[in-house]
Amino acid sequence: MLKFETTVQELKHSVLKEVAELAWEDRLATGVLNIPEKIIPGPEAKMRCCIYKERAVVSSRVKMALGGDASNPGMVEVMEIACDECPVTQITVGPACRGCIATRCVHNCPKGAISVVNRKATIDHDKCILCGKCITVCPYGAIEKNQRPCERGCIPGAIAMGENKKAAIDVNKCVSCGACTYQCPFGAVMDKSFIVETIQMLQGAQRWNFRVYAVIAPSIVGQFAPATLGQVVTGLKQLGFYDVAEVALGADLTAQAESEELVEKGKLLSSCCPAFVDYVEKNFPDLAQYISDTPSPMVMIARKVKEQDAQARVVFVGPCIAKKRERFMGKTMSAVDCAITFEELYALFASKGIEVEKLEETPLDEASGFGRSFAHSGGVAAAVAEGLKEHGVSQEQFKLNAVSCSGIPQCKVELLKFAKGIGGVNFLEGMACEGGCVQGPGILVRSPRNQADVQKHAREAEGRTILDAVGKGQKEQK
């Protein structure tokens, strides 16, 4: 069994596994209420004040495992019962305050929220507007801002403290990047799961005469170590998937189409990361016109599977929460029927008692190294450059000037430059996760090794061009 990096991840897995087991056995209606006591048997609490609080948190997690609040269009939700341990007061005066007579903090506060009492600065939090001016002017650095981890990790500013002192997500600002789901030390923010929907799809395949395909993102390599990719493919088939395809082949298709589109339009923002696209549309609406019309690799491979098999249903398996949202967007044209993360796939294996590392290997070798490199920052730009080369576009005809950025802070900087034409960039590759998909919120192992694993996976396809991969894929009929 995988050694989890945090207790939050372990608890999430336990809930997903229990829900999956009940779904396979068609016992959700009768068994779901027993999950909290099964996971938290007591009699002593280990994580919260009492076992009843711990069970209440598990109940909230069960709800998320069942799809969360259907009336909430967001892909992440705050479980209020779990959100109660963070400090409410954000700006505080520490022991370094000397009660100096300069009182720059007092003079620079626009709301008169600071006064000196007993030779120490004191903040009236009813007046404080969290502007932070006092922090910048204190000569001793005695005033600090204790921002909640979820707020600090949410660069788009979608999370704030609500009236009830709990974290609240503004769906109009949220881009579903999922950073908050692993930033919260108490696991109070969780992504909606469609694990039950996936199981029901697999169970209904024979009854309704359709075939369920898994399309797996290239960042999966190394996530189930010591199991190989070939063993993971075998495991997917044991779960009931009819066949498995590489999303990296969809990336080859995207690179091919996007390079042609770039020459035609002259200037593009990449479209492969739905969180980046959402961030542009919500924060840089004037730049939305430059977002590539080429579908993402997930959509490209799903379309291809359905072109080859009219009875196909497609489940995306990847590291991304934003892909769950992308599935529902009109631009996907119903190409993808469900989306789950690596965390959820691991729970599916566990629910069936499948020990992936003990299975035989099933080969999966469709994509080029360029398509597989989409998983890390810089891979998309490199693939587009290769696409131009393979199409015979010379530098005299079109000179590519690409910039790759990962993480919303870096994307914000590069988008500001792009808007002003600084640097003459004509292709901006944006990824919401720092490092790219290899560090997505739904991965099992968060490590610098992830990028090395993907690079090794890409080298295994060395010598295969994008056109080779696309041509091979067009000839193969499932």
Side-chain angles (χ1 to χ4, degrees), residues 153-229:
C154 182
I155 306 303
I159 299 185
M161 187 170 62
E163 293 182 0
N164 58 359
K165 308 302 181 183
K166 311 286 187 181
I169 299 175
D170 184 343
V171 294
N172 295 315
K173 294 181 179 179
C174 178
V175 298
S176 303
C177 67
C180 53
T181 63
Y182 64 86
Q183 291 286 357
C184 177
F186 283 86
V189 190
M190 182 175 169
D191 55 310
K192 293 180 176 179
S193 174
F194 300 100
I195 195 170
V196 173
E197 188 175 340
T198 299
I199 292 171
Q200 291 172 341
M201 196 181 302
L202 290 168
Q203 290 177 322
Q206 189 171 8
R207 182 186 310 166
W208 302 107
N209 193 31
F210 58 80
R211 290 176 282 273
V212 186
Y213 291 75
V215 296
I216 55 176
S219 50
I220 197 171
V221 292
Q223 286 294 300
F224 290 83
T228 65
L229 177 61

Side-chain angles (χ1 to χ4, degrees), residues 52-63:
Y52 307 107
K53 180 68 172 288
E54 291 183 350
R55 288 172 182 171
V57 172
V58 170
S59 293
S60 291
R61 286 191 167 276
V62 169
K63 180 180 178 180

